[in-house]
Amino acid sequence: MKKSLLSIAVALTLSANAAHSADLMFTPGEDSRFNWSSYEALKSVKLSGETVSVFGPWMGDEKTNFERVIAYFEEATGAKVNYAGSDSFEQQVVIDAQAGSAPNVSVFPQPGLAADLAAKGFITPLSDTVKNAVAEDYAAGQSWVDLATFKNREGKDDFYGVFYRADLKSLVWYSPDNFADAGYDVPESMEELKALTKQIVADGGTPWCIGLGSGAATGWPATDWVEDLLLRTQPASVYDGWVTNEIKFDDPRIVGAIEEFGWFARNDAYVDGGAGAVSSTDFRDSPKGMFQSPPKCYLHRQASFIPAFFPEGTQLGLDADFFYFPSYESKELGNPVLGAGTLMSITNDSKGARAFIDFIRSPIAHELWMAQTGFLSAHLGANPELYSSDAAKKQVEILRYATTFRFDGPDLMPGKIGAGSFWTGMVDFTGGKDAKEVAADIQKTWDALKECVWGSREFYLGTLFFWLPIEMTSTVM
């Protein structure tokens, strides 16, 4: 009888384990492309009965994809993870932190807000072990460490988070058929890109489609151009000083990057519709000229989201493709990449929270979302063969070979600059206003913010999250 009861108990346990495994999207150990060893290592962490709360901006399909990843942490450790997503995350997480009811882990879509909360003591620093692992395991690892290093309440630097899920902006889109018909090759340096621009004009074509229109957010696509060009004309330290205003907006090096953008955008022969059409052309419509016959343009610089606005039926890799927005070979500044990413930080410390951060920085946590859709990772230990599309594999190759990664500049600036005068200044610049004058006007706005009583860092950094228009939060960020 005892043997019979024991057999039943064992059978029930095996049945329960099988049921849990059946809930997992990919059965552990079956697909050799996954780094299952990092999953098995999780099993040594015993968290049965512990609940980990996670709060972030992901909703809809993104929430579903993330919860499929979380299921593996729960299965391995015995913990329960409650994820909540909100389109008001940036405001709510501040309220929760101040009320003492913050989640264990918060998912920050920009590091600026995390820096603000860290300075107030609302985020728990991570260990040197975690920091060193990120530096070693991520492409351009020190860049990711720097992006998550903020001043603490005492004004000293601490490391506060692990980036999970990256976005890529340093891309140029083109039609392979158009290039083949014209005999053009993909340029591998900025010098070659400029030479190609001139060659297309000499052949009777128009090189670029550029549009800055975006309703109340008109001008933001030009800021991406300026950021990318600054990283290609100056060391990354200049970029870092610029986004904090330690290097002024009207510094000659920043003005030079704006003028570099003007080389492309303010030449009537280089842009579809002429320079005068740049600011009035909607950014969603601007790439469509590449797909007309004959093509109205051959090149379009934009982030990885832009295929959503290509003509219906456009096939990536066939009708449209992309290449890395190249650096200057002569300047020897490496391969900088501009992008964005989500930062995981501990806002309510616990054993489970620290274990969850360790899971997030492991290869398996990245691979499990990579194998779904809508995810790029800078983790060098994650297998790129698991990406669900060839486009994603190609984009992550650019990310992995980056020597420097920098976060979108306006997301690190005060809202009235990064989502205000910088946008309008770029519209003025493409309309013919002198770059020095544009830069000086933006700097005046920044100086006025500093002088304002409400211009403290915690105010003007926080204003960023109230300036972002709805149409951008789902595409650009």
Side-chain angles (χ1 to χ4, degrees):
M1 182 67 174
K2 288 182 179 179
K3 287 184 179 180
S4 177
L5 290 173
L6 179 61
S7 297
I8 292 172
V10 170
L12 288 173
T13 300
L14 291 174
S15 176
N17 288 339
H20 281 300
S21 296
D23 293 336
L24 302 178
M25 190 171 188
F26 308 100
T27 303
E30 284 196 359
D31 189 332
S32 62
R33 296 176 301 167
F34 286 94
N35 192 318
W36 293 119
S37 61
S38 61
Y39 169 75
E40 293 297 325
L42 270 178
K43 295 181 178 180
S44 64
V45 182
K46 306 300 182 183
L47 297 174
S48 181
E50 183 157 349
T51 298
V52 180
S53 56
V54 182
F55 182 39
W58 296 322
M59 302 173 68
D61 290 343
E62 292 177 321
K63 180 177 185 286
T64 299
N65 292 342
F66 184 48
E67 287 177 335
R68 288 170 178 160
V69 176
I70 288 172
Y72 288 82
F73 178 80
E74 294 178 315
E75 177 75 10
T77 66
K80 172 65 178 174
V81 179
N82 293 326
Y83 172 75
S86 172
D87 56 4
S88 300
F89 166 81
E90 291 90 347
Q91 293 81 34
Q92 189 61 48
V93 74
V94 174
I95 295 170
D96 291 345
Q98 292 174 339
S101 57
N104 295 119
V105 176
S106 294
V107 186
F108 293 95
Q110 302 97 351
L113 180 57
D116 188 37
L117 293 179
K120 298 175 182 176
F122 290 134
I123 301 183
T124 303
L126 301 181
S127 68
D128 285 344
T129 299
V130 176
K131 179 174 72 173
N132 295 335
V134 170
E136 182 177 344
D137 294 343
Y138 281 55
Q142 190 57 47
S143 293
W144 296 101
V145 169
D146 293 343
L147 283 168
T149 300
F150 314 126
K151 299 292 184 185
N152 61 21
R153 196 182 303 188
E154 289 73 41
K156 296 181 180 180
D157 285 342
D158 269 325
F159 176 68
Y160 283 100
V162 173
F163 277 91
Y164 180 70
R165 192 182 185 202
D167 295 305
L168 191 58
K169 293 195 171 192
S170 302
L171 301 176
V172 179
W173 298 85
Y174 71 104
S175 164
D177 285 344
N178 291 345
F179 264 46
D181 291 344
Y184 300 143
D185 295 322
V186 170
E188 297 183 357
S189 68
M190 185 60 71
E191 290 90 345
E192 290 184 4
L193 180 60
K194 286 189 169 184
L196 175 60
T197 297
K198 294 177 180 178
Q199 184 61 52
I200 293 171
V201 173
D203 293 342
T206 302
W208 292 91
C209 278
I210 304 175
L212 309 187
S214 187
T218 292
W220 73 259
T223 68
D224 283 357
W225 272 89
V226 172
E227 294 162 69
D228 249 339
L229 289 165
L230 181 58
L231 288 170
R232 282 152 182 75
T233 54
Q234 301 295 333
S237 58
V238 174
Y239 186 94
D240 297 338
W242 171 59
V243 299
T244 62
N245 207 224
E246 292 175 20
I247 293 176
K248 305 301 182 186
F249 226 104
D250 53 358
D251 183 283
R253 292 167 291 185
I254 312 305
V255 173
I258 296 173
E259 291 174 337
E260 277 286 285
F261 169 57
W263 189 92
F264 295 93
R266 292 200 355 176
N267 188 321
D268 287 334
Y270 288 177
V271 187
D272 178 36
V278 169
S279 62
S280 61
T281 301
D282 193 284
F283 83 93
R284 289 156 286 213
D285 296 329
S286 59
K288 295 175 182 177
M290 291 191 299
F291 306 103
Q292 296 187 19
S293 183
K296 298 184 70 177
C297 64
Y298 285 81
L299 300 160
H300 182 71
R301 188 226 156 273
Q302 190 50 274
S304 55
F305 70 83
I306 199 61
F309 302 106
F310 288 169
E312 186 176 353
T314 301
Q315 296 184 44
L316 292 186
L318 181 64
D319 304 314
D321 207 344
F322 59 87
F323 57 86
Y324 168 66
F325 188 55
S327 55
Y328 279 98
E329 186 176 7
S330 58
K331 294 185 182 293
E332 299 182 348
L333 292 173
N335 299 316
V337 165
L338 179 70
T342 47
L343 179 71
M344 296 267 191
S345 294
I346 296 176
T347 42
N348 188 354
D349 198 9
S350 70
K351 179 182 177 182
R354 290 184 178 270
F356 190 78
I357 291 293
D358 285 340
F359 168 63
I360 285 300
R361 67 180 178 86
S362 71
I364 192 65
H366 293 246
E367 292 171 342
L368 289 167
W369 198 335
M370 286 161 50
Q372 298 180 72
T373 186
F375 188 90
L376 289 179
S377 171
H379 200 303
L380 295 171
N383 184 0
E385 292 305 312
L386 285 164
Y387 282 106
S388 57
S389 71
D390 290 337
K393 292 177 183 178
K394 188 175 176 181
Q395 287 175 20
V396 82
E397 186 176 352
I398 292 172
L399 195 58
R400 284 182 169 222
Y401 281 98
T403 54
T404 300
F405 183 92
R406 284 298 182 268
F407 208 91
D408 182 60
D411 285 351
L412 304 174
M413 296 175 181
K416 288 189 177 181
I417 305 299
S421 60
F422 194 4
W423 290 350
T424 56
M426 290 302 96
V427 173
D428 292 340
F429 175 67
T430 56
K433 193 171 181 177
D434 181 73
K436 292 180 182 178
E437 188 178 352
V438 167
D441 288 344
I442 298 171
Q443 185 57 47
K444 286 177 184 176
T445 303
W446 208 321
D447 290 339
L449 275 177
K450 294 176 183 177
E451 293 171 4
C452 178
V453 127
W454 292 103
S456 65
R457 182 179 185 278
E458 60 193 74
F459 171 75
Y460 71 69
L461 185 59
T463 58
L464 162 65
F465 306 105
F466 296 94
W467 278 70
L468 285 172
I470 293 173
E471 64 188 349
M472 289 181 65
T473 58
S474 61
T475 56
V476 181
M477 296 169 57

